[in-house]
Amino acid sequence: SAVGLGNIWKFPYITGENGGGAFVLVYLACILVIGVPIMMAEIMLGRRGRQSPINTMRDLSIEAGHSTHWQYLGWLGVIAGFLILSYYSVIAGWALSYIFRAASGVFTDASVEVVKTEFVSLVGDPEKLVAWHSLFMVLTMFVVARGVQGGLEKAVKFLMPSLFIILILLVGYSMQNGEFNMAVKFLFTPDFEALFYKTDAQGNEYMSWNAVLIAMGHAFFTLSLGMGAIMVYGSYLPADTSIAKTTFMIAAADTIVALMAGLAIFPIVFANNLEPGSGPGLIFNTLPFAFGHMDGGIIFGTLFFVLLSFAAWSSSISLIEPAVAWLVENLSLSRIKASVLMGIACWAVGLLTVFSFNIWSDVKPLADIKIFKDATIFDLLDYLTANIMLPLGGLLIAIFSVWIMSREASMEELDMGDRPGYKLWRFLVRYITPIAVLIVFLNVLGILTFK
Ligand code: PFF
């Protein structure tokens, strides 16, 4: 669930849009102090409730002697997952279509212009995008309908390490052929000016915490937190598995994959005078160029997009699982019916994203608000889900697991004893996480400002 388009597609492009180093630093800090503790909390709630997030939250509130209104937290997650999948599927469709582009050899010895033209001809064509989006949605719903365990787990165990190996290869290519030092400097030298200062539509500079919110939102997005996906997987976790260790492994693997994607992409960006902040097309405008110029590029390129599609596929399943699980538990629909229903609805909402890249690319619904001056419908959907709904869900999960749930219950489920590890977790989730999320929210809303 964690390793997906977020790491390879989204992380590099939002890092490029937000000036690099300082953004990466804030993102890493958020993973460590917010992401890890919340992931532990979310897995813990899932394993204790052992049902879909909505019903888990309801039963755990009853166990804690509190109002069952907490089940709305489950609802928030179901809606967030549904909305995320609607656009995730469109982008995953790009990855699918690139399997065939890479295999056809169009990128062999191609210039950056040719690579760019390929991308523009894909996203500018709504019919093609709809076709690939539909295919991806069918693939996702096919697995969801059959249940998550079994084949998929085996496939992922083999395919994710393969993706990792191709990433190493790409980083190697970029080290030798790209502006590697510039990329390292861009990614790891914090420039806080670039993080906080933006220009508005009139060209005036203004200060905003928006990039901090985006970095924090991405920590939630990339770790699949705040919407119940990890809670569902927690509900499948064996009783004797260590939640802390599992969490650290997920967070470490996820972060390494993202940083490697950055180290593969930015050297190519700088070597070819591409624009780091060029947006969602960034990986599709850079990596094919690298494949086009390396030995065996057709094979590696094809394989890369196959594996990227797989990573997207295995994440997309967890996006819609909370909704499907709820339909099955509460409306007694069969898994197949529930999946078909959700798939069709989510596909239809995905059309908003499809059109954001072509016929509606000039539609900027909130252009009057400074931070949204260039935001398309897709950008706004992404912002609403990743930067608002997920952190809000995470905030509520944090509050629930340490202020509502009893200390005994969380200690028992985390199974770390009353030792420093547990105390640190509790401290972070009790004070640091909620305060950090609130400060960032209030800042972006303009309610709280710092000079
Ligand atoms: N973590 C996934 C990624 O980085 O691509 C995206 C995601 C999956 C977000 C599942 C949320 C979720 F529940």
Side-chain angles (χ1 to χ4, degrees), residues 1-7 84 88 221-224 227 229 315 318-319:
S1 173
V3 175
L5 293 174
N7 309 61
I84 294 175
Y88 204 82
F221 184 87
T222 192
L223 294 176
S224 307
M227 57 144 283
S315 296
S318 62
L319 281 164

Side-chain angles (χ1 to χ4, degrees), residues 210-277:
N210 192 35
V212 176
L213 178 59
I214 297 175
M216 184 177 84
H218 188 62
F220 282 92
F221 184 87
T222 192
L223 294 176
S224 307
L225 294 179
M227 57 144 283
I230 290 296
M231 213 184 275
V232 169
Y233 285 164
S235 76
Y236 301 149
L237 197 72
D240 56 357
T241 304
S242 158
I243 291 179
K245 269 191 208 140
T246 307
T247 299
F248 274 105
M249 264 156 58
I250 300 171
D254 190 82
T255 307
I256 292 170
V257 170
L259 293 179
M260 287 191 24
L263 287 174
I265 287 162
F266 285 106
I268 306 173
V269 169
F270 294 123
N272 295 289
N273 290 321
L274 297 169
E275 173 52 50

Side-chain angles (χ1 to χ4, degrees), residues 142-432:
F142 179 73
V143 177
V144 174
R146 295 171 38 134
V148 182
Q149 286 122 324
L152 185 82
E153 186 179 350
K154 284 204 195 78
V156 165
K157 266 188 187 154
F158 167 74
L159 294 166
M160 289 299 109
S162 317
L163 178 65
F164 192 73
I165 291 170
I166 295 215
L167 274 176
I168 295 180
L169 190 91
L170 274 170
V171 175
Y173 170 86
S174 291
M175 255 182 195
Q176 281 179 350
N177 303 289
E179 290 287 347
F180 197 72
N181 290 342
M182 270 173 88
V184 170
K185 190 161 168 252
F186 180 73
L187 286 171
F188 300 110
T189 314
D191 169 4
F192 285 96
E193 288 267 305
L195 189 69
F196 287 115
Y197 290 92
K198 309 280 163 193
T199 37
D200 65 13
Q202 285 77 42
N204 303 318
E205 215 176 52
Y206 65 97
M207 197 228 177
S208 160
W209 271 55
N210 192 35
V212 176
L213 178 59
I214 297 175
M216 184 177 84
H218 188 62
F220 282 92
F221 184 87
T222 192
L223 294 176
S224 307
L225 294 179
M227 57 144 283
I230 290 296
M231 213 184 275
V232 169
Y233 285 164
S235 76
Y236 301 149
L237 197 72
D240 56 357
T241 304
S242 158
I243 291 179
K245 269 191 208 140
T246 307
T247 299
F248 274 105
M249 264 156 58
I250 300 171
D254 190 82
T255 307
I256 292 170
V257 170
L259 293 179
M260 287 191 24
L263 287 174
I265 287 162
F266 285 106
I268 306 173
V269 169
F270 294 123
N272 295 289
N273 290 321
L274 297 169
E275 173 52 50
S278 63
L282 189 65
I283 68 161
F284 297 94
N285 289 323
T286 48
L287 297 185
F289 177 81
F291 290 122
H293 291 262
M294 67 168 74
D295 291 336
I298 294 190
I299 296 178
F300 289 127
T302 311
L303 207 57
F304 172 81
F305 286 109
V306 168
L307 294 170
L308 181 62
S309 305
F310 245 101
W313 195 20
S314 52
S315 296
S316 67
I317 289 156
S318 62
L319 281 164
I320 202 68
E321 181 64 27
V324 170
W326 183 82
L327 283 179
V328 172
E329 279 169 26
N330 291 56
L331 301 189
S332 323
L333 288 186
S334 69
R335 261 196 97 80
I336 298 189
K337 268 206 195 114
S339 310
V340 172
L341 215 68
M342 280 293 145
I344 293 174
C346 202
W347 174 87
V349 177
L351 297 179
L352 292 174
T353 294
V354 166
F355 299 141
S356 298
F357 289 98
N358 35 69
I359 52 180
W360 291 346
S361 60
D362 291 330
V363 178
K364 312 274 161 77
L366 299 182
D368 290 342
I369 301 174
K370 264 194 237 167
I371 55 173
F372 297 131
K373 71 179 195 310
D374 297 320
T376 60
I377 300 175
F378 154 73
D379 293 321
L380 293 174
L381 257 179
D382 172 43
Y383 195 94
L384 169 70
T385 50
N387 304 337
I388 299 174
M389 297 178 86
L390 298 186
L392 188 62
L395 176 69
L396 295 173
I397 287 172
I399 293 175
F400 185 87
S401 48
V402 289
W403 294 95
I404 305 293
M405 199 171 175
S406 72
R407 195 181 153 110
E408 291 69 41
S410 64
M411 200 145 68
E412 179 186 36
E413 203 57 52
L414 285 174
D415 199 19
M416 301 159 81
D418 196 4
R419 284 199 293 272
Y422 175 78
K423 289 193 175 122
L424 177 64
W425 172 81
R426 200 171 163 82
F427 174 76
L428 287 173
V429 177
R430 215 171 156 85
Y431 302 106
I432 304 301

